[in-house]
Amino acid sequence: MNGFDYQKDGENIVTISMDLPGQPVNTINKAFMDGLEATLQRLERDEVAGVILTSGKDSFLAGGDLKEISAISADTLPAFAATLQRLKSCLRHLETLGKPVVAAINGTALGGGYELCLACHHRIALRDDKSRIGLPEVSLGLLPGGGGIVRLVRRLGLEKALPLLMEGTRLSPERALEAGLVEELAADRETLLSKARTWIRDNPSPRQPWDEKGCRIPGGTPAHPKVAQMLMAAPAMLRKKTRGLLPAPEAILAAASEGAQVDFAAAQRIESSYFLQLVLTPEAKNQISFFFQLNGITSGSSRPEGFAKTSVNRLGILGAGMMGAGIAYVAAKVGIEVVLLDRTRAQAEKGKAYSAQVLDRQLAKGRITREQKDALLERIQPTTEMSDFTGCDLLIEAVFEDQELKGKLTGEAEKNLAEGAFVASNTSTLPITELAQAVRQPENFIGLHFFSPVDKMPLVEIICGQKTSPQTLAKAFDFVQQLRKTPIVVNDSLGFFTSRVFSTFLDEGAALLEEGVDPLLIDNLARLAGMPVGPLTVMDEVSQQLLVKVRKANRKLLQDRGEVLEENATDRVLAVLTGSHGREGKAYNGGFYDYPQEGRKTIWAELYTLFRKPEVEISRRDIQDRILFRQVLEAVRCLEEGVLRSVADGNVGSIFGIGFPAHTGGQLQFINSCGLQRFVARARQLEQLYGERFAPPALLLEKAANHELFT
């Protein structure tokens, strides 16, 4: 029946299996709505003891059609509002059939898919590590508009429901059970359906909690003193987290708290009103665009075709410092045997100890067992012997940014690898083409730029040298996904994409300081613009000492080519801090900030003597635009020069690797959202006021003239 298979057994229990034709996953669209309405009408006519809703696909049900949602305009909003009301009416019809309805969740149920589950009387999920359950609409700049807020608040209460809604948590079936999103788990599909039938037999006339007379929201309404206290503090806490840049969490808080004070029908209308407001926001359109681009990358759009999928079984890592230790942990976590080498046994053991520290924190929180911890640590072999790399099918070099040192160690280690192995460097700036000269087969050499801390950062930047083969790229892409991280693929250059663009963020912070702007204002306005932390704080965290060494290594590299690395604001400011005052970063004796053993960091007072010019007046808008535009313009240059292979790689890399504000959809989508002509005009203003680094690149001018977008 139009994608809804209807099977009734001898007990009059109907199993409805959703399997919409022509769709890899079931999606809430017109075909779904037509099929659901027809099914509900048949259930009304039929003699039914109960209903089991499940899926004929590997996943249960996705949410709404995001392409349709992202295309909504003010003109088409009324028609979409009618469609939304149609969905809500169907779900209300389902839960008031007068017969027990069980959601047999045999795969992922997110967004509208889980809203359908909430409209059932009971939820049973299949145990599956790949499945996820929840309401993640906030990550798309939206809120659950099909009754998700209204039903979840009435099921769990405001205190438990709000974090799930405002953070958009995607839960495994086990965690969904703990959180109260499902009531039971099943080991296999047969057991899943059997448990559903048992529940129907035991509950012939169920009603939703909100349809019971005298229904009360768990924990109380906003009038309850404890709930009122929580809601009074929530807006300030939320504003601190989002900095007012993300309207969706604020709309969720409002819809949940307002809806909890009225009856079910009125709460539904409140929820719809906020949802329809969000649909038209640029933030929603940007975040939906990002979602599509991320999906394209994770589904392999950057992976060369024609090569069988591979996996790494034994990994060698050169260097057990912060990066090498982090890579060892994430690799061992997915079952890879790791050989971790450093100059001394103590250094190698220290690298392994990092994994033990991470695991101890997880053990203390009950997330893993001691057996799981021991098994992971058993997979990491600390060593000082190159011969222990025997049998490794991938070697990752993760030593200091010194081309000569990297080449010497990589060439020596390569001799021990398994036949067909490939070699990667974790360099953050040095060109892969030149590093590849150290190995016998440069076509087997590639860059794998991880981000710190490795266990938390989701991105790996894959860098192809001039001789890197497509097969090596395919292997590297598969390895990154094996680690459950997101790969972007870029071409070779000094600094590649992420480091090159990120350096402009730091340099603009240094330029503002050099011009006399208050250092605290620089960092605070960067955060208010949406960056995770300010540029001066970042330089302290990375350490001025390391930044100076990297710039020195890059300068030497270019000198050897007969080129010049021009001095910038970062060079001049750090020369003052490190050369004249011994300020080398947080890990040393402080940098732009002082770090007392007790208490919070404080700005280093001498900065005001060295740099602050009270007579300098730069508007807050100019400061924030300089911080963002400088990065975006460099991203365009990377695309123009062929360093970036696609717009999607730039957008995903800028948010996951650089921390560019999520509400923009990424650095290149930021231009689309501004409007290319408007962005160019503003860049011209900044160029006139602050210098040629803000000059729009030719590619940007060409697209603006042709009214094209970065897609």
Side-chain angles (χ1 to χ4, degrees):
M1 187 191 290
N2 203 17
F4 283 70
D5 183 60
Y6 188 107
Q7 299 291 333
K8 186 165 71 168
D9 64 16
E11 298 180 84
N12 288 337
I13 295 175
V14 175
T15 300
I16 297 169
S17 183
M18 301 175 291
D19 194 355
L20 294 167
Q23 299 184 26
V25 295
N26 295 316
T27 305
I28 299 176
N29 53 19
K30 186 179 184 302
F32 172 87
M33 293 299 305
D34 291 343
L36 180 59
E37 281 186 340
T39 301
L40 288 167
Q41 290 167 10
R42 183 171 177 180
L43 287 169
E44 285 280 14
R45 296 191 305 266
D46 204 353
E47 187 178 341
V48 174
V51 181
I52 301 171
L53 266 176
T54 191
S55 170
K57 301 183 188 292
D58 291 336
S59 62
F60 181 76
L61 175 64
D65 187 330
L66 291 176
K67 287 185 179 178
E68 178 185 322
I69 292 172
S70 64
I72 294 169
S73 65
D75 292 338
T76 59
L77 189 65
F80 178 76
T83 300
L84 179 63
Q85 185 53 47
R86 184 185 176 197
L87 172 63
K88 288 192 161 181
S89 296
C90 283
L91 297 185
R92 189 65 178 141
H93 188 177
L94 182 70
E95 69 186 359
T96 55
L97 274 173
K99 303 296 180 183
V101 184
V102 177
I105 310 168
N106 61 307
T108 291
L110 293 171
Y114 181 64
E115 287 182 298
L116 175 64
C117 299
L118 279 172
C120 298
H121 301 104
H122 192 68
R123 286 146 293 276
I124 309 170
L126 187 67
R127 288 185 185 271
D128 184 348
D129 289 342
K130 296 178 182 177
S131 292
R132 290 296 179 267
I133 296 169
L135 297 167
E137 284 88 345
V138 68
S139 65
L140 300 170
L142 300 171
L143 57 74
I149 292 178
V150 178
R151 289 186 175 91
L152 197 67
V153 166
R154 279 160 170 73
R155 180 166 293 280
L156 301 182
L158 283 161
E159 190 172 7
K160 290 183 179 179
L162 279 172
L164 296 171
L165 293 164
M166 292 166 67
E167 295 168 17
T169 315
R170 301 166 184 240
L171 301 173
S172 66
E174 288 78 7
R175 289 190 62 204
L177 179 67
E178 293 171 9
L181 269 62
V182 300
E183 286 75 43
E184 293 185 74
L185 299 180
D188 52 55
R189 187 177 179 86
E190 185 178 340
T191 306
L192 178 70
L193 297 176
S194 175
K195 285 189 171 189
R197 290 189 183 94
T198 299
W199 193 88
I200 287 171
R201 294 188 200 104
D202 294 342
N203 299 272
S205 302
R207 287 164 61 87
Q208 295 284 37
W210 42 90
D211 289 327
E212 296 286 358
K213 189 174 181 180
C215 166
R216 293 186 178 182
I217 294 176
T221 70
H224 189 283
K226 184 180 177 184
V227 177
Q229 186 176 13
M230 177 196 73
L231 292 176
M232 283 177 63
M237 293 173 64
L238 181 59
R239 184 53 65 106
K240 183 178 179 181
K241 186 174 181 180
T242 68
R243 294 157 233 172
L245 299 171
L246 297 169
E250 294 184 2
I252 288 171
L253 177 61
S257 56
E258 290 173 24
Q261 301 175 67
V262 295
D263 62 37
F264 185 86
Q268 290 263 63
R269 291 193 295 272
I270 289 170
E271 178 189 88
S272 293
S273 175
Y274 280 109
F275 181 79
L276 294 171
Q277 290 175 42
L278 289 175
V279 161
L280 295 179
T281 61
E283 292 83 1
K285 295 187 184 299
N286 289 341
Q287 289 178 264
I288 291 172
S289 171
F290 180 83
F291 172 83
F292 282 125
Q293 293 178 57
L294 177 60
N295 276 0
I297 286 174
T298 55
S299 63
S301 61
S302 303
R303 186 187 188 276
E305 295 180 356
F307 299 98
K309 197 168 181 65
T310 61
S311 60
V312 170
N313 298 310
R314 185 172 169 85
L315 168 66
I317 301 176
L318 270 172
M322 179 177 65
M323 296 305 295
I327 297 167
Y329 167 74
V330 296
K333 186 179 179 181
V334 298
I336 298 173
E337 299 292 328
V338 179
V339 179
L340 185 59
L341 181 144
D342 214 310
R343 288 177 299 176
T344 68
R345 184 75 187 187
Q347 287 172 311
E349 291 284 1
K350 183 180 178 182
K352 180 176 179 176
Y354 174 80
S355 292
Q357 292 166 9
V358 173
L359 293 167
D360 282 338
R361 291 194 292 270
Q362 295 178 10
L363 188 63
K365 295 177 181 177
R367 292 180 181 171
I368 59 169
T369 64
R370 186 164 295 280
E371 290 74 22
Q372 288 172 317
K373 172 193 169 183
D374 293 343
L376 190 151
L377 291 175
E378 186 67 25
R379 288 192 283 272
I380 301 176
Q381 175 191 347
T383 186
T384 59
E385 302 297 326
M386 290 282 190
S387 59
D388 286 334
F389 287 141
T390 300
C392 287
D393 38 19
L394 167 60
L395 174 74
I396 297 179
E397 167 272 305
V399 300
F400 175 68
E401 295 288 90
D402 182 301
Q403 185 172 340
E404 186 177 340
L405 176 64
K406 286 176 180 286
K408 177 177 179 296
L409 294 174
T410 303
E412 186 180 346
E414 182 197 20
K415 303 171 187 175
N416 300 285
L417 304 181
E419 188 174 348
F422 68 107
V423 181
S425 174
N426 180 53
T427 179
S428 59
T429 59
L430 298 176
I432 295 302
T433 300
E434 299 189 21
L435 292 176
Q437 296 172 5
V439 300
R440 290 170 294 178
Q441 296 176 298
E443 65 270 20
N444 293 340
F445 193 90
I446 200 163
L448 288 176
H449 176 204
F450 289 80
F451 296 80
S452 181
V454 178
D455 53 303
K456 293 180 180 176
M457 295 293 282
L459 189 78
V460 177
E461 184 179 27
I462 302 176
I463 308 104
C464 294
Q466 290 177 8
K467 295 185 178 180
T468 302
S469 71
Q471 184 176 24
T472 299
L473 171 55
K475 287 181 178 180
F477 194 97
D478 293 343
F479 170 66
V480 172
Q481 290 201 316
Q482 186 180 355
L483 298 181
R484 298 170 188 160
K485 292 191 178 291
T486 300
I488 63 166
V489 181
V490 303
N491 289 325
D492 199 16
S493 79
L494 187 65
F496 325 127
F497 167 62
T498 55
S499 294
R500 177 172 159 179
V501 172
F502 193 63
S503 70
T504 65
F505 170 55
L506 304 185
D507 191 57
E508 201 56 36
L512 287 162
L513 182 69
E514 193 176 40
E515 290 170 34
V517 177
D518 187 320
L520 284 174
L521 190 63
I522 297 169
D523 269 3
N524 287 336
L525 287 179
R527 289 190 70 255
L528 288 173
M531 298 300 296
V533 293
L536 307 184
T537 296
V538 172
M539 285 191 267
D540 270 11
E541 295 283 346
V542 172
S543 90
Q544 282 79 358
Q545 183 190 87
L546 178 60
L547 290 170
V548 168
K549 287 181 178 178
V550 168
R551 290 285 292 177
K552 184 178 179 182
N554 290 346
R555 186 169 284 108
K556 181 180 183 302
L557 178 70
L558 290 178
Q559 283 176 347
D560 293 343
R561 292 182 185 174
E563 301 174 33
V564 176
L565 181 65
E566 292 184 7
E567 184 183 66
N568 61 14
T570 304
D571 294 325
R572 293 188 293 271
V573 168
L574 294 189
V576 173
L577 258 72
T578 62
S580 306
H581 297 275
R583 307 285 296 187
E584 297 188 329
K586 181 180 178 180
Y588 300 93
N589 50 354
F592 296 106
Y593 292 87
D594 285 321
Y595 299 89
Q597 289 186 347
E598 296 182 8
R600 301 174 63 181
K601 70 179 183 181
T602 57
I603 197 72
W604 181 44
E606 190 65 18
L607 284 181
Y608 289 87
T609 303
L610 294 169
F611 297 107
R612 179 74 175 107
K613 298 170 186 173
E615 70 277 9
V616 170
E617 292 186 7
I618 300 177
S619 73
R620 295 190 172 204
R621 185 195 168 198
D622 278 10
I623 292 172
Q624 288 184 307
D625 280 357
R626 283 175 60 173
I627 286 167
L628 297 182
F629 273 61
R630 180 82 187 275
Q631 297 177 67
V632 172
L633 289 165
E634 193 66 24
V636 175
R637 294 185 190 102
C638 287
L639 189 65
E640 184 177 62
E641 295 167 19
V643 175
L644 271 178
R645 290 186 166 200
S646 74
V647 169
D649 285 324
N651 284 328
V652 171
S654 64
I655 288 180
F656 281 178
I658 298 171
F660 201 72
H663 73 280
T664 66
Q667 288 170 342
L668 298 170
Q669 177 61 23
F670 177 75
I671 303 175
N672 294 342
S673 184
C674 288
L676 270 73
Q677 291 81 8
R678 186 162 160 250
F679 182 91
V680 167
R682 179 59 174 152
R684 293 281 196 210
Q685 287 180 343
L686 295 173
E687 180 188 10
Q688 278 190 330
L689 291 167
Y690 304 110
E692 63 181 3
R693 62 187 181 278
F694 293 103
L699 177 63
L700 174 58
L701 294 175
E702 178 186 333
K703 284 188 172 290
N706 294 329
H707 299 279
E708 297 174 353
L709 297 175
F710 285 93
T711 59

